[in-house]
Amino acid sequence: QVQLVASGGGLVQAGGSLRLSCAASGSISSINVMGWYRQAPGKQRELVARITSGDSTSYADSVKGRFTISRNNAKDTVYLQMNSLKPEDTAVYYCNADLTYRTYPIRTWGQGTQVTVSS
């Protein structure tokens, strides 16, 4: 069994910062891509940022220059540093991972963490 546990959300004023963490645990052979998605009320879930096992990163245009994704492979953990937050960043943030569970490739999701940015 594989589990992703996200943490670090909260309430912050516009212009502030938050750091999200997501740790994977279980019978993991390897993790390829890890990413962060978000879903605002009434909107579809969208990709925020992703990072490969080789540390190649990509970002949504709306967060480029403000958010930074990173990972610690030794801890099977992915981070999202969010700076210069805006009210439109308010959403539930989900982490996910494309990994190998024993010998099976799977995609798994974390439970979500709420980020609220006040104006």
Side-chain angles (χ1 to χ4, degrees):
Q1 189 173 0
V2 175
Q3 189 176 17
L4 296 182
V5 178
S7 61
L11 173 64
V12 66
Q13 289 188 332
S17 298
L18 284 174
R19 188 189 193 214
L20 306 183
S21 300
C22 177
S25 62
S27 301
I28 299 170
S29 299
S30 62
I31 301 177
N32 184 11
V33 180
M34 302 187 82
W36 289 95
Y37 288 70
R38 67 186 181 187
Q39 188 166 19
K43 295 188 177 181
Q44 289 188 331
R45 189 174 296 189
E46 62 175 359
L47 175 66
V48 176
R50 62 196 297 270
I51 183 168
T52 69
S53 57
D55 288 336
S56 176
T57 60
S58 59
Y59 297 90
D61 288 342
S62 59
V63 306
K64 283 181 181 177
R66 300 188 297 122
F67 291 10
T68 301
I69 190 170
S70 61
R71 62 190 283 175
N72 183 325
N73 291 326
K75 296 183 178 181
D76 288 338
T77 299
V78 63
Y79 307 95
L80 186 68
Q81 178 67 44
M82 304 185 294
N83 299 328
S84 302
L85 283 160
K86 304 176 180 180
E88 51 263 44
D89 294 318
T90 295
V92 177
Y93 284 69
Y94 300 90
C95 59
N96 83 339
D98 292 334
L99 55 86
T100 302
Y101 167 63
R102 298 184 180 176
T103 61
Y104 305 105
I106 65 170
R107 167 170 288 187
T108 189
W109 291 85
Q111 83 281 15
T113 183
Q114 176 70 47
V115 171
T116 303
V117 184
S118 63
S119 58

